[in-house]
Amino acid sequence: MKEIKVIKEKCTGCGACVQACPFGAIEVVEGKARISEDCRLCGACVSSCPYEAIVITGKEEAVDLSEYKGVLVFGEQREGRIEPVVYELIGKGRELADKLGEELSCVVLGYNMKAQAEELLSYGVDKVYLYDHPSLAVFRDDPYTDIIVDLVEKVKPNIFLIGATFIGRSLAPRIASRLKTGLTADCTGLEIDPESRLLLQTRPAFGGNIMATIVCRNRRPQMATVRYKVMKRAEKTSRRGGEVVVMDFNPKKVRDRVKVRKFVKEEVEVSLTEAEVIVSGGKGLGGPEGFKLIKELADLLGGAVGASRAAVDEGWIGYSHQVGLSGKTVRPKLYIACGISGSVQHLAGMGGSDVIVAINKDPSAPIFKVADIGIVGDLYEVLPRLISRIKKYRG
Ligand SMILES: Cc1cc2nc3c(=O)[nH]c(=O)nc-3n(C[C@H](O)[C@H](O)[C@H](O)COP(=O)(O)OP(=O)(O)OC[C@H]3O[C@@H](n4cnc5c(N)ncnc54)[C@H](O)[C@@H]3O)c2cc1C
């Protein structure tokens, strides 16, 4: 078992450890550091001590893997509405739970979420753990982490899935490090290995050039984040049963170091991840002016404007439009790529589109390998003709 101790002869009572401790578990008493039982053995004080006066001894206790059962999904909400990615995690979570013969549960934190929590049951969730309190209406790292870590320690899920949203990306690593387990971010595939029954977590690696499959053998839960639009959305089922478990919550028992003063919403005309049609521009546009044509076509089709990273890096359009490995994953019915070469990193974000149309003047551009319809030509000739044909067709 791991233990932490202060070497009194070395400690000068300088207080560096007090500042470093994220849990407020250290105080200086009579000139020496004293560590309370709130310590989570994170080690921040050890590395902060200039006198090497704090040491952690012993070994990490082996985890009894047999105690961990079931698949847990983080039921992220914003402004009281369950995020769309949650339904996709439920779809995948149900499949994994069925393969393991285990339960699928969901944890929801928010305020006035009872009806939404009950609604989740109709998507095939066996149990929803609900923390409903005004102080949880808006996401903050500290209380959300404390609550979820506490739940995981009680419920002991085998697998824990979180959406790779801004919130999920902040929350998942905090939870994983507190639980001392692994985390695979931005998974594009999740399967159960039939022999070992471990979760096979696949994600692009080395800039998207290879797909790596990662397993978490010795720690639990097996944690993964998944981007929106990567997994198939769960359907409503006629399956009855399932329950919402309202959890006790005492705001005084959780940390909260951040005060949210104001939310500023980014104005986005059509959400890229929700759009059924996306017209994207790349470096081939040659300058920011090119996006006027892209927007004209997108507006005509009731769609959204996307971009390659090269176009974003040039400063021609904002990052919120970037599609790809380090941008957004999209899955529209129609994706029109204009002046985009088709790098693996771009394809990682739009390869799942139903129909891909590519306009590129280079016939050997890799985008044509994934395109359903390829137009070899100068986009400044093709796009105006396409726009005028659509206008004429619509009268
Ligand atoms: C870790 C990592 C993450 C990355 N993440 C992303 C990401 O999220 N999204 C992303 O897009 N990229 C990403 N990239 C960058 C990626 O590797 C490519 O550099 C980028 O996608 C290239 O953008 P592009 O196709 O617009 O530009 P280019 O590769 O320069 O292609 C421009 C294309 O336009 C064509 N063209 C030129 N003029 C015209 C014209 N007048 N008419 C028609 N066609 C024309 C050319 O033939 C060419 O095919 C990432 C890279 C790394 C290493």
Side-chain angles (χ1 to χ4, degrees):
M1 200 176 122
K2 275 182 144 189
E3 267 181 317
I4 189 160
K5 65 177 181 195
V6 178
I7 305 169
K8 293 245 164 70
E9 300 74 47
K10 288 189 178 180
C11 178
T12 64
C14 70
C17 53
V18 178
Q19 298 294 323
C21 177
F23 305 104
I26 310 180
E27 56 183 341
V28 176
V29 181
E30 293 170 5
K32 303 285 171 196
R34 183 188 286 169
I35 300 173
S36 78
E37 57 189 22
D38 288 337
C39 171
R40 312 273 170 106
L41 292 167
C42 72
C45 56
V46 176
S47 46
S48 76
C49 178
Y51 306 101
E52 297 181 349
I54 306 180
V55 287
I56 294 179
T57 55
K59 274 196 179 158
E60 200 72 65
E61 263 180 295
V63 173
D64 181 356
L65 305 183
S66 67
E67 286 183 355
Y68 289 78
K69 296 257 179 313
V71 179
L72 177 67
V73 165
F74 173 51
E76 179 180 335
Q77 57 83 22
R78 278 187 219 181
E79 296 178 351
R81 286 185 49 207
I82 298 289
E83 281 290 291
V85 69
V86 174
Y87 298 96
E88 298 178 0
L89 297 180
I90 289 173
K92 181 46 92 173
R94 183 74 268 166
E95 182 193 313
L96 300 173
D98 288 346
K99 278 194 185 148
L100 291 166
E102 295 177 0
E103 226 179 42
L104 172 66
S105 56
C106 205
V107 52
V108 175
L109 285 75
Y111 184 45
N112 279 337
M113 294 299 297
K114 185 90 193 283
Q116 301 241 18
E118 266 161 13
E119 168 91 3
L120 290 178
L121 298 176
S122 61
Y123 286 87
V125 177
D126 297 309
K127 205 176 269 170
V128 179
Y129 298 100
L130 174 64
Y131 293 85
D132 208 66
H133 191 275
S135 68
L136 299 175
V138 169
F139 168 76
R140 272 135 34 254
D141 286 302
D142 281 345
Y144 270 52
T145 304
D146 282 0
I147 290 169
I148 295 172
V149 166
D150 185 59
L151 178 77
V152 170
E153 283 172 348
K154 282 186 187 127
V155 173
K156 295 193 189 305
N158 184 5
I159 293 170
F160 186 14
L161 307 179
I162 297 179
T165 60
F166 290 119
I167 288 177
R169 283 177 181 177
S170 182
L171 190 61
R174 288 168 203 276
I175 296 173
S177 73
R178 285 271 294 279
L179 295 167
K180 297 193 170 59
T181 187
L183 168 68
T184 308
D186 285 353
C187 291
T188 52
L190 294 170
E191 297 299 330
I192 300 294
D193 179 46
E195 274 176 32
S196 64
R197 290 169 65 83
L198 287 167
L199 180 66
L200 304 176
Q201 307 162 60
T202 303
R203 57 151 295 149
F206 294 104
N209 288 306
I210 61 159
M211 298 303 279
T213 297
I214 294 158
V215 287
C216 177
R217 287 188 195 282
N218 302 319
R219 312 293 305 180
R220 290 293 178 272
Q222 302 167 83
M223 283 185 65
T225 64
V226 181
R227 285 187 188 198
Y228 180 37
K229 297 261 171 176
V230 170
M231 304 289 172
K232 232 175 122 217
R233 190 185 155 95
E235 304 279 341
K236 271 204 172 189
T237 70
S238 49
R239 228 170 66 129
R240 291 274 153 232
E243 58 171 330
V244 174
V245 183
V246 180
M247 304 296 286
D248 281 339
F249 167 64
N250 180 353
K252 288 193 185 123
K253 286 207 168 160
V254 292
R255 293 168 307 144
D256 196 358
R257 292 171 294 177
V258 174
K259 292 269 167 292
V260 179
R261 297 179 63 186
K262 187 175 163 193
F263 274 96
V264 182
K265 269 197 178 175
E266 191 185 8
E267 291 298 329
V268 183
E269 283 170 36
V270 184
S271 154
L272 204 56
T273 44
E274 296 293 340
E276 296 203 332
V277 176
I278 295 175
V279 187
S280 266
K283 188 101 180 264
L285 291 178
E289 289 297 300
F291 274 102
K292 284 193 183 147
L293 261 185
I294 300 287
K295 177 142 178 24
E296 191 178 350
L297 181 57
D299 286 347
L300 261 181
L301 299 173
V305 172
S308 71
R309 174 159 154 184
V312 172
D313 285 351
E314 290 290 337
W316 299 343
I317 191 160
Y319 169 71
S320 60
H321 294 267
Q322 186 177 313
V323 172
L325 189 65
S326 48
K328 294 196 168 99
T329 304
V330 296
R331 210 174 246 214
K333 289 193 175 143
L334 174 63
Y335 189 89
I336 307 179
C338 311
I340 293 177
S341 58
S343 64
V344 278
Q345 293 88 359
H346 191 78
L347 301 183
M350 44 64 77
S353 308
D354 287 353
V355 174
I356 298 170
V357 177
I359 305 169
N360 197 305
K361 65 181 184 187
D362 174 7
S364 64
I367 191 80
F368 288 127
K369 290 204 182 113
V370 296
D372 299 283
I373 300 169
I375 303 171
V376 179
D378 187 330
L379 66 94
Y380 285 102
E381 285 171 19
V382 177
L383 282 182
R385 285 172 66 186
L386 194 59
I387 289 168
S388 100
R389 281 292 282 275
I390 295 171
K391 283 184 178 163
K392 213 183 257 173
Y393 176 76
R394 292 198 177 157

